[in-house]
Amino acid sequence: MDKLPKQYEPAEVEKKWGAKWIESGAFAAADRSGKPPYTIVIPPPNVTGALHIGHALNITLQDILIRYKRMDGFNALWMPCTDHAFIATQIVVERRLMEEKIDRRELGREKFVERVWEWKAESGGTIVNQLKSLGASCDWDRERFTMDEGLSRAVREVFVSLYEEGLIYKGEYMINWCPRCHTALSDLEVEHHERDGHMWHIRYPLADGDKELIIATTRPETMLGDTAVAVHPDDGRYKSFIGKSVVLPIANRKIPVIADEYVDMEFGSGALKITPAHDPNDFIIGERHGLERIKVIADDGTMSLKAGERYAGEDRFEARKDIVKKLEADGLLVRVEGHMSAVGSCYRCHTIVEPNVSMQWFVKIAPLAEPAIKAVEEGRVRFIPGHWENLYYEWMRNIRDWCVSRQIWWGHRIPAWTCGGCGEIMVLREDPAECSKCGGSELEQETDVLDTWFSSALWPFSTLGWPEKTEALKTFYPTSVLVTSFDIIFFWVARMIMMGLKFMDDVPFHEVYIHGLIRDQDGQKMSKSKGNVLDPLDLIDGVDLDTLLEKRVSGLMQDHLKPRIEAATRKQYPDGIPAYGADALRFTFASLATTGRDIRFDLGRIEGYKNFCNKLWNASRYVLMNTENPDDGDTQFSTADRWILARLNRTIESVHQHFATYRLDLAAQATHEFTWHEFCDWYLELSKPVLQSEQSSDAEKRGTRKTLIEVLETLLRLLHPLIPFVTEEIWRELAPRAMIDAETIMLQPFPQPLEAWQDSEAESEMNWVMQFILGIRQIRGEMDISPRKPLPVLLQNASDNDRDLAVRHEELLAKVGRTESVRLLSADQEPPPSATALLGEMRVLVPLEGIIDIEAERARLTKKQIGLRTDLGKSRGKLDKPDFVNNAPAEVVTKEKERARELEGQISKLREQIEKLENLD
RNA sequence: GGGCGAUUAGCUCAGGGGUAGAGCGCCACGUUGACAUCGUGGAGGUCGGCGGUUCGAAACCACCAUCGCCCACCA
């Protein structure tokens, strides 16, 4: 076989098949067998750069499922897409512009957006290449981008319909404002982190008289915007204050003391400053009491003119310091204490967000949430694992209106126009030429864009052509399963369910398979700023240390982290990362995709699975070498032949089951176990005596050759979804020997269990052979006998069945177990001193003379005996208890009794054997 | 303040009311015509703690501890 090198080299094979598959059109959805459609829509990766290893996991799991279903005959569609990821992408491009010393504002909106499109082309290309390297069998001809024409039309259609229905409204409300990104954020886009802060206690003197209220605050700078102080109406301490005024320090404004039940009497002094323009609660209280909203912090995070000349233009955190100083100087600061509080920050740039009152667009969400909750309750959408449903319910039942407008440039522009003449606001499907009310032509389009998740929410149907009633939409909606990680259940999954139900009148998918998040070896979440990200391509192709270092420290927001990241990287990958190949990476992902939440990525495992690919490769070389000249004469199948088919059959059954329950880890485990430990370790070894022996007939040889081909060919198909490249490469060589003429394994049927392969008789017979050989090996291994030395073996107390099997499998025992001879002892024959293995009631004896250290054998048997005694003790302990015998199921009791009896038998046989050895001294 | 998850061999993780598992690592032996990216054998765990249910718990229940995560307007 000069064609197949001794070692599997993934690089070339993967490159070759990656290209061929795409050319062949095998990835395209097609009704090939009349089975129903099976659809997965990809969670669209952001066009912010390259995919990290978490994406690679997500992609791999989907590809495994889609390849499985495609082979299984379904009309399998995997929709590829990328997401414009508004803020994230805008930040990336802004940063690149900064490197060129260009400010986005100087460039202007139009030019800036052009630059983003350029970036999108580059980044989108990188991503698609990464996907292809992983073997992702997306239907590439259908590839979409959230901002392409069709999807943008869908966005607009949805926006306008919701507006017409009154489910979208514009208004001035409290929102989260990112002073760096200069945009509103939805509640979800704000991350809360506990931070060390302070609580300042400040005197607010009453306007009349010498009394005062003590106010506690964590944000003194907002006091400049206070328009009231609130106390609880039932608070005896302050009843007399209600309706009076206090003088707001520094600002020297009079503000009223109001009563509101929101105030917690127990907390602090029981008096609360009210800043309706900069605190969500105060905003609500302010609405209740008709309070003025004074916006003292401007959109860029500096103090506004309304904060007074002294502070205007000063950064909000600087102003905080200055205000505290001033209060202290004026004797108005009572005390300061340390205080931990959860501070919100922008999920993209981590700037601390400012609660701000602002004119924004909102989606009225409750009417959409209700049916979405019901869909999950009724099981029309099922989460896997199921406990994620709790999280979904929790959020959906407390959901608040969704702020969807963003003050940035990159994204779907809101289709609303304001007439300069009459002020009419129009929300339209088509760009208007004139005002619908006054006919004026001075129309100004809304500058805001939509939350990126607005378009993602439509993804399952917008990508299939909606609002057109396309054939694709009819065929593939609702999709089958959504594969994603838990962190976007709210952002994306919930919103897709809501929008799908609203606009398609059906759920967008039936199942949501939630997989874990990949963490690094220390359990840390992978992130660019931690410098612990891994590029899937670096695992596939390998990377040297210098390149890896360069990748990890370039484009870092915080330079001071560089040395630490460098040191950690050098320590963990002193020689860079070797090339493992895509199959090894995929198999690793599959085997790590357990039900838990986190996945610690462990290089040890990927190395093991690279070896697995090599093992399969070499097993295949063996099969190919031994099946070169097939002929179609008579065949006779050995027990081993029947056994391996029976084992294969069981493996196929379990793989189907594991795929159905999304336990790809178990599917990987089952195939790994079969391939390595049954097919390679046993069957290939058992096939050698047959193929190499002069004694075996041509029919027997044909039987074994045929089985080798049949098992391997089936196994390749079974493994293909997990490790597509290496299986395809081998399969192409092997297929002609299996009389299969086809271009690709990808479209071959996925193996099905066959009744004809079931064979429990062969399984128990082979079990005997294997136990026999294992016994001999154990003696060999523990007695330090060379594996090459053939051993004479004597059988004592053999049953008829034992005799039968020993004769029938003499050849296997000789070649695989390396026995020199196997002789039966009759009942009255006294065996020579021997090393012993037990096989049921039979003793397998290896005469010691000249071979074995008697003392060592005695020690070995004694040790074994102690182990068995411990087990027997436990077993008897159970059987001696009447409670057990009376209450446990009869079946269990019987089994336990049998077990005890067997242990007793084995112990006594060992004892006799030990005694014999002792008598030799 | 609510909620979720995890805790099993040195490491990474499966499992699951009746005999404690895998891979890697470790020790010993071994270049037999698929594979040294390998083979054979071996060592290694009172399954986080304390109770409860049960004939029987590592598994089920309650509580606790540790770690991780999500949600949350107590200033």
Side-chain angles (χ1 to χ4, degrees), chain A residues 89-102:
Chain A
T89 309
Q90 175 150 342
I91 291 174
V92 169
V93 176
E94 278 172 6
R95 205 176 298 151
R96 287 164 66 92
L97 285 173
M98 258 156 60
E99 280 163 22
E100 297 172 41
K101 306 254 181 286
I102 300 173

Side-chain angles (χ1 to χ4, degrees), chain A residues 884-894:
Chain A
F884 173 73
V885 181
N886 296 333
N887 293 323
E891 209 182 283
V892 174
V893 177
T894 313

Side-chain angles (χ1 to χ4, degrees), chain A residues 10-216:
Chain A
E12 218 171 295
V13 170
E14 290 175 5
K15 210 172 122 197
K16 177 176 78 184
W17 286 110
K20 277 198 185 176
W21 282 332
I22 289 170
E23 277 169 36
S24 73
F27 290 173
D31 184 356
R32 294 181 175 96
S33 71
K35 276 205 193 181
Y38 180 88
T39 317
I40 299 180
V41 291
I42 210 168
N46 294 346
V47 291
T48 45
L51 298 183
H52 58 70
I53 198 160
H55 292 114
L57 164 73
N58 176 256
I59 296 301
T60 300
L61 299 181
Q62 292 172 74
D63 192 55
I64 291 169
L65 294 173
I66 209 88
R67 281 182 188 266
Y68 165 60
K69 289 289 180 176
R70 188 187 292 121
M71 288 176 78
D72 211 15
F74 289 81
N75 180 359
L77 170 63
W78 188 16
M79 274 296 306
C81 184
T82 46
D83 192 300
H84 67 286
F86 69 127
I87 296 182
T89 309
Q90 175 150 342
I91 291 174
V92 169
V93 176
E94 278 172 6
R95 205 176 298 151
R96 287 164 66 92
L97 285 173
M98 258 156 60
E99 280 163 22
E100 297 172 41
K101 306 254 181 286
I102 300 173
D103 186 292
R104 157 172 76 89
R105 275 155 286 220
E106 286 167 29
L107 206 61
R109 183 166 187 155
E110 207 171 307
K111 280 260 159 42
F112 177 78
V113 170
E114 263 175 41
R115 293 292 293 255
V116 186
W117 275 105
E118 281 171 28
W119 164 255
K120 183 262 159 186
E122 184 185 330
S123 163
T126 306
I127 290 170
V128 169
N129 281 335
Q130 285 178 304
L131 293 177
K132 289 178 180 170
S133 296
L134 278 166
S137 61
C138 300
D139 192 343
W140 293 108
D141 292 342
R142 297 182 196 247
E143 187 188 344
R144 306 308 287 270
F145 175 55
T146 47
M147 277 186 33
D148 67 23
E149 210 186 313
L151 271 62
S152 298
R153 228 188 108 204
V155 165
R156 193 147 162 183
E157 174 62 33
V158 165
F159 188 91
V160 177
S161 333
L162 289 175
Y163 180 81
E164 287 171 346
E165 221 181 301
L167 291 176
I168 280 184
Y169 60 91
K170 187 181 187 182
E172 196 167 53
Y173 295 93
M174 177 62 63
I175 47 89
N176 309 290
W177 181 266
C178 175
R180 200 227 64 96
C181 299
H182 261 258
T183 181
L185 299 170
S186 72
D187 296 334
L188 278 180
E189 287 163 318
V190 178
E191 287 178 349
H192 293 272
H193 297 291
E194 288 273 315
R195 287 182 206 225
D196 272 324
H198 296 91
M199 176 92 84
W200 288 273
H201 296 257
I202 303 164
R203 292 180 217 283
Y204 279 36
L206 229 55
D208 305 312
D210 53 2
K211 289 191 175 167
E212 62 185 17
L213 282 172
I214 308 293
I215 307 287

Side-chain angles (χ1 to χ4, degrees), chain A residues 612 656 706:
Chain A
F612 175 65
H656 277 282
K706 207 175 163 209

Side-chain angles (χ1 to χ4, degrees), chain A residues 401-471:
Chain A
D401 282 359
W402 178 13
C403 174
V404 290
S405 45
R406 297 290 182 275
Q407 289 66 50
I408 63 166
W409 287 349
W410 174 242
H412 299 282
R413 207 157 156 182
I414 290 177
W417 286 263
T418 309
C419 172
C422 69
E424 172 76 358
I425 293 175
M426 294 170 284
V427 173
L428 298 164
R429 288 179 176 81
E430 305 297 334
D431 292 7
E434 57 184 31
C435 175
S436 55
K437 196 174 174 190
C438 70
S441 57
E442 249 180 76
L443 300 175
E444 205 170 320
Q445 186 177 0
E446 177 68 72
T447 54
D448 291 358
V449 299
L450 283 166
D451 183 352
T452 208
W453 298 101
F454 191 92
S455 54
S456 321
L458 319 180
W459 172 222
F461 51 91
S462 65
T463 52
L464 293 171
W466 189 90
E468 302 297 323
K469 291 191 172 63
T470 61
E471 199 54 38

Side-chain angles (χ1 to χ4, degrees), chain A residues 569-583:
Chain A
T569 304
R570 275 180 202 282
K571 193 174 166 206
Q572 209 199 342
Y573 306 107
D575 305 310
I577 298 173
Y580 294 109
D583 286 330

